[in-house]
């Protein structure tokens, strides 16, 4: 249920933007209420792939926090904190799969 409830607010609609795209992978990010962000790592390929999100692209696209030096990353599927990351975050994403994370500026 935590994944479905990440951005429910009746008065405001916020969407995610594509930050990076290649032949087989995409990185999406968008703001959440309260100053956090959602991050989706997408693998459209036929085999597992490491997908990296560059946090500077979040700032350049107007999605990220310009003052954040790092982000606390939480895996929304596993319901577990992954750790604090500066500059970028990467994860292995299964073939034709999506990994979804909540980023909190730290």
């Amino acid at each position: 249920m935590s994944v479905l409830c990440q951005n429910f607010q009746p008065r405001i609609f916020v969407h995610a933007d594509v930050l990076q795209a290649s032949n087989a992978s995409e990185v999406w990010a968008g703001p959440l209420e309260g100053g956090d962000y959602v991050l989706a790592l997408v693998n459209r390929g036929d085999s597992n792939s490491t997908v990296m999100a560059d946090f500077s692209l979040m700032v350049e696209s107007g999605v990220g926090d310009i003052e954040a030096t790092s982000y606390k990353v939480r895996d929304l599927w596993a319901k577990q904190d992954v750790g604090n990351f500066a500059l970028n975050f990467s994860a292995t994403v299964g073939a034709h799969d999506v990994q979804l994370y909540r980023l909190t500026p730290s």
Side-chain angles (χ1 to χ4, degrees):
M1 194 62 158
S2 64
V3 170
L4 294 177
C5 294
Q6 288 305 303
N7 203 24
F8 282 161
Q9 185 183 29
R11 298 169 307 205
I12 298 174
F13 175 75
V14 179
H15 69 277
D17 292 314
V18 177
L19 301 181
Q20 297 167 234
S22 69
N23 290 338
S25 66
E26 295 176 354
V27 176
W28 291 69
L32 296 172
E33 185 177 334
D36 288 356
Y37 302 90
V38 64
L39 176 70
L41 304 180
V42 180
N43 178 7
R44 294 181 287 125
D46 294 329
S47 60
N48 293 353
S49 179
T50 300
V51 181
M52 184 186 76
D54 183 341
F55 295 150
S56 67
L57 294 177
M58 290 175 55
V59 174
E60 289 174 18
S61 69
V63 173
D65 184 341
I66 197 165
E67 296 180 13
T69 57
S70 65
Y71 290 92
K72 180 178 88 171
V73 178
R74 180 169 179 80
D75 184 323
L76 294 176
W77 299 127
K79 299 180 185 174
Q80 294 179 344
D81 292 334
V82 179
N84 288 308
F85 296 85
L87 304 178
N88 61 58
F89 172 73
S90 62
T92 301
V93 182
H96 305 283
D97 203 358
V98 176
Q99 294 290 331
L100 198 58
Y101 301 92
R102 185 179 191 115
L103 306 180
T104 301
S106 57

